């Protein structure tokens, strides 16, 4: 089953990347002006919307859960890019540079998923999608707390580790909704 997971994960990432690339074409890397805490808040509102749709079993906007999981993947990768680059008040990155960084962190997320999937024995397949949402929201709250402490932790993983987990849970949601 791991081979199927790897293929599904790569396909889900490719779908998210295509959306990211199309938005780069439309807007450029306009997100470069966002501070990391704003990226965290963007992920938060996407996850809250998913939870709201899961709870209410309907949406009045039209877009469903799948596009929100894809947005969380992309914002998580943007968050990792933002953590690795100095803050700026202008767009200082070409679309090609942004895609190169996107691919780097997406590859890192994929490798992490493979390692964890080995150890956890495909447990994500038996989980409810609503648990992915809850785990994402929990990770966002952890990131917000770490941001409040200026990135310092005493024993916990840092912001980047939480973003990687958020990305991977969101990709599991993409896979489940794409099946």
């Amino acid at each position: 089953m791991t081979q199927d997971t790897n293929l599904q994960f790569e396909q889900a990432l490719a779908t998210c990347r295509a959306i990211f690339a199309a938005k780069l074409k439309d807007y450029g890397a306009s997100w470069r002006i966002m501070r990391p805490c704003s990226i965290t808040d963007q992920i938060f509102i996407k996850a809250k919307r998913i939870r709201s749709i899961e709870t209410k079993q309907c949406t009045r906007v039209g877009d469903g859960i799948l596009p929100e999981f894809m947005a969380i993947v992309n914002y998580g990768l943007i968050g990792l890019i933002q953590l690795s680059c100095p803050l700026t008040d202008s767009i200082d990155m070409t679309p090609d540079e942004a895609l190169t960084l996107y691919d780097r962190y997406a590859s890192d997320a994929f490798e992490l998923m493979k390692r964890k999937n080995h150890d956890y024995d495909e447990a994500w397949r038996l989980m409810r999608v609503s648990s992915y949402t809850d785990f994402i929201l929990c990770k966002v709250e952890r990131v917000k707390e770490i941001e409040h402490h200026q990135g310092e932790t005493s024993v916990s993983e840092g912001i980047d580790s939480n973003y990687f987990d958020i990305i991977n849970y969101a990709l599991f949601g993409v896979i489940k909704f794409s099946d």
Side-chain angles (χ1 to χ4, degrees), residues 6-24 66-74 77 99 102-103 106 170-171 173-175 177-179:
N6 292 348
L7 180 61
Q8 288 176 307
F9 200 88
E10 287 175 319
Q11 290 169 339
L13 263 173
T15 301
C16 294
R17 186 187 191 278
I19 292 167
F20 184 80
K23 290 194 177 207
L24 274 174
L66 177 60
E68 298 294 8
F69 273 128
M70 290 189 277
I72 289 171
V73 170
N74 287 340
L77 290 163
L99 282 170
Y102 182 100
D103 291 341
L171 281 162
V174 172
I175 291 168
F177 271 92
S178 298
D179 281 345

Side-chain angles (χ1 to χ4, degrees), residues 6 30 66 76 86 89 98 117 139 162 169 174:
N6 292 348
S30 57
L66 177 60
D89 289 328
N117 202 38
K139 296 283 182 178
N162 284 283
Y169 280 120
V174 172

Side-chain angles (χ1 to χ4, degrees), residues 62-92:
D63 290 336
I65 292 173
L66 177 60
E68 298 294 8
F69 273 128
M70 290 189 277
I72 289 171
V73 170
N74 287 340
Y75 277 113
L77 290 163
I78 287 169
L80 290 168
I81 293 168
Q82 291 296 78
L83 290 175
S84 72
C85 296
L87 291 177
T88 183
D89 289 328
S90 62
I91 299 172
D92 63 347

Side-chain angles (χ1 to χ4, degrees), residues 152-170:
E152 296 297 319
T153 60
S154 54
V155 296
S156 303
E157 298 175 318
I159 293 171
D160 57 342
S161 293
N162 284 283
Y163 275 154
F164 278 117
D165 287 343
I166 288 167
I167 292 162
N168 286 340
Y169 280 120

Side-chain angles (χ1 to χ4, degrees), residues 16-145:
C16 294
R17 186 187 191 278
I19 292 167
F20 184 80
K23 290 194 177 207
L24 274 174
K25 186 176 180 182
D26 287 347
Y27 307 128
S30 57
W31 43 265
R32 279 292 292 135
I33 67 166
M34 294 175 75
R35 291 171 284 191
C37 61
S38 296
I39 302 297
T40 303
D41 285 343
Q42 190 64 31
I43 294 168
F44 174 75
I45 66 170
K46 297 294 184 184
K48 285 294 282 186
R49 182 162 186 272
I50 292 170
R51 189 169 181 167
S52 173
I53 294 168
E54 289 169 345
T55 303
K56 296 173 186 170
Q57 297 290 303
C58 69
T59 173
R60 292 188 179 170
V61 175
D63 290 336
I65 292 173
L66 177 60
E68 298 294 8
F69 273 128
M70 290 189 277
I72 289 171
V73 170
N74 287 340
Y75 277 113
L77 290 163
I78 287 169
L80 290 168
I81 293 168
Q82 291 296 78
L83 290 175
S84 72
C85 296
L87 291 177
T88 183
D89 289 328
S90 62
I91 299 172
D92 63 347
M93 187 178 291
T94 68
D96 286 340
E97 291 168 332
L99 282 170
T100 297
L101 289 168
Y102 182 100
D103 291 341
R104 173 182 155 201
Y105 290 111
S107 176
D108 291 347
F110 183 44
E111 291 304 315
L112 176 64
M113 183 283 299
K114 289 191 283 189
R115 291 191 307 273
K116 286 190 172 187
N117 202 38
H118 172 271
D119 289 357
Y120 288 94
D121 213 19
E122 300 263 325
W124 70 272
R125 290 192 179 276
L126 303 174
M127 293 170 58
R128 297 173 196 96
V129 174
S130 60
S131 293
Y132 306 153
T133 307
D134 291 348
F135 291 163
I136 290 168
L137 284 166
C138 180
K139 296 283 182 178
V140 166
E141 289 300 326
R142 289 177 182 182
V143 169
K144 288 165 68 173
E145 193 64 26

